[in-house]
Amino acid sequence: MKIAVFAGDGIGPEVTAEAVRVLEALDLPGLELTEGDVGGAAYKKHGHPLPEATLDIARQSDAILFGAVGDFDCDHLERHLRPEQAILGLRKAMGFFANLRPAKVFAGLEDASALRPEVASAIDLLIVRELNGDVYFGEKGIRKLDDGRRQGWDMMSYAEDEVRRIAHVGFKAAQSRAKAGESGKLCSVDKANVLETSQLWRDVMIEVSAEYPDVELSHMYVDNAAMQLVRNPGQFDTIVTGNLFGDILSDQASMCVGSIGLLASASLAEGTCGLYEPIHGSAPDIAGKDLANPMATILSAAMLLRHSLGMEAQAARIEAAVGKALTDGIRGGDLGGSMGTRAIGDAILERL
Ligand code: IPM
Ligand code: MG
């Protein structure tokens, strides 16, 4: 079991270290961890945010545990050298096209949500975000118009096969989340009232739905979805959406849950290799101060065991330990508490 560990920038190394401690505590036979440089840290050392050596480690691994990338020192660099290119490049090079971002309120945390507790407690949803296409990977640039004005432009597009493969992931996820005897629920989020890209997205979703008669497909415009996530998040089960809308809605969902320090994610390709990372960023303002909540990264390690290594029982063990820590009142600064990164890691290890 070869696991690549790419800690990255800011709080990345601190939160990743705690997730590694948890993985090591499980005493898994044959576990082999290999570290690699990504992001601003890699740029400073090797002149590139995603060095070839790091890509090689990724290609030879069964799964990747990823911290975070982003560094203000690098803001002046050309876009292809910025830290974010490490995660975008890995997603593309490794074919990680399906991003799973579950959001669920942990027992005892209903008060931490930005929403009223009775609204927040109903949240149990999964955002399935497409990761390899959309305006993220379209042609882009800043050009001079004839009259001398500068114009920024980014091309948004989805080919039908790109939509079809994420549709299947969405429908299958909805199927597997359905309670026995009930149909699955999949809400496709788009902006088909304005965008042609979204019209094609919607057409393909409807086409693919014929293969999943046990899943109820609905459609929602992204602006309405953002509103409904705050008004009544309990109405959602599985959401499938494009790269940009999924990026925005998943940050929003995290605050509905209570903290962005709690949300894990999996990025999957066609095979079993996957990349696992907290959905939060590198938070340079609190980096190196033992202030970050490592729970999202630890929960990402649980997803790694589940999706890439087929170790459901061990994954559930980690999730139970985090859940127990939270019900016992273990809180970092993000949740109004004062416990540091290492102490939260200790508390979870103890419960494990
Ligand atoms: C995320 C992040 C990334 C994204 C950034 C760091 C490029 O916000 O994983 O949600 O936009 O996809
Ligand atoms: Mg994001």
Side-chain angles (χ1 to χ4, degrees):
M1 295 186 295
K2 290 191 173 160
I3 298 180
V5 180
F6 300 159
D9 304 321
I11 59 171
E14 294 163 82
V15 293
T16 309
E18 298 312 309
V20 164
R21 285 211 297 156
V22 167
L23 283 175
E24 285 176 336
L26 295 176
D27 228 352
L28 308 171
L31 181 71
E32 216 180 280
L33 302 170
T34 310
E35 291 184 9
D37 297 320
V38 290
Y43 176 78
K44 286 170 187 166
K45 242 165 112 179
H46 313 281
H48 198 280
L50 183 58
E52 201 51 44
T54 300
L55 259 179
D56 279 343
I57 297 172
R59 290 194 190 100
Q60 286 159 26
S61 298
D62 298 309
I64 301 165
L65 181 67
F66 195 93
V69 287
D71 183 340
F72 294 137
D73 289 354
C74 298
D75 278 357
H76 66 283
L77 295 172
E78 277 178 68
R79 187 161 302 280
H80 75 280
L81 292 175
R82 295 213 197 147
E84 290 76 10
Q85 294 306 314
I87 186 64
L88 297 174
L90 270 171
R91 288 172 183 168
K92 198 72 175 177
M94 300 291 292
F96 297 136
F97 71 94
N99 191 206
L100 309 183
R101 299 191 159 183
K104 187 178 174 167
V105 169
F106 285 90
L109 275 194
E110 296 82 357
D111 287 334
S113 170
L115 307 178
R116 286 198 309 279
E118 69 274 19
V119 178
S121 60
I123 301 176
D124 182 1
L125 58 88
L126 172 70
I127 297 179
V128 177
R129 168 189 175 196
E130 201 288 330
L131 269 192
N132 271 190
D134 203 353
V135 69
Y136 267 62
F137 290 98
E139 275 184 57
K140 58 189 73 209
I142 297 177
R143 61 191 165 201
K144 262 276 176 48
L145 297 176
D146 290 343
D147 61 10
R149 284 177 304 149
R150 285 174 305 153
Q151 181 189 53
W153 60 282
D154 299 82
M155 159 94 165
M156 173 183 272
S157 72
Y158 264 123
E160 59 181 320
D161 55 304
E162 293 177 306
V163 182
R164 204 166 286 123
R165 65 178 183 173
I166 195 70
H168 283 290
V169 175
F171 279 103
K172 288 196 175 107
Q175 248 174 357
S176 69
R177 283 171 56 90
K179 296 192 191 73
E182 286 181 22
S183 57
K185 272 176 66 184
L186 181 65
C187 179
S188 169
V189 171
D190 63 34
K191 188 70 186 173
N193 51 345
V194 178
L195 303 174
E196 289 301 314
T197 311
S198 282
Q199 187 57 55
L200 180 84
W201 175 280
R202 191 175 280 220
D203 294 346
V204 173
M205 284 292 155
I206 293 169
E207 220 177 278
V208 173
S209 71
E211 295 176 47
Y212 300 88
D214 54 339
V215 177
E216 232 174 80
L217 172 67
S218 61
H219 306 274
M220 203 180 272
Y221 297 138
V222 63
D223 49 347
N224 186 26
M227 190 263 279
Q228 297 295 338
L229 255 177
V230 173
R231 191 186 75 88
N232 175 21
Q235 72 186 282
F236 294 107
D237 183 71
T238 308
I239 292 173
V240 65
T241 190
N243 206 345
L244 180 64
F245 299 156
D247 179 46
I248 298 166
L249 291 180
S250 56
D251 264 35
Q252 192 185 336
S254 74
M255 263 303 123
C256 300
V257 165
S259 168
I260 198 162
L262 294 175
L263 292 210
S265 78
S267 302
L268 306 174
E270 303 283 1
T272 59
C273 184
L275 180 149
Y276 302 84
E277 58 172 332
I279 82 156
H280 62 67
S282 60
D285 51 326
I286 60 165
K289 297 183 180 160
D290 194 42
L291 286 175
N293 184 352
M295 286 175 170
T297 315
I298 292 172
L299 291 168
S300 298
M303 290 187 91
L304 181 156
L305 296 177
R306 170 173 299 125
H307 293 285
S308 281
L309 302 180
M311 305 179 87
E312 173 58 36
Q314 299 287 13
R317 234 181 111 191
I318 295 178
E319 286 162 354
V322 173
K324 181 81 172 58
L326 285 168
T327 48
D328 288 348
I330 301 296
R331 299 274 189 282
D334 58 322
L335 292 168
S338 60
M339 289 181 70
T341 313
R342 183 42 61 107
I344 295 175
D346 286 342
I348 292 168
L349 280 171
E350 227 169 83
R351 285 156 182 85
L352 198 68

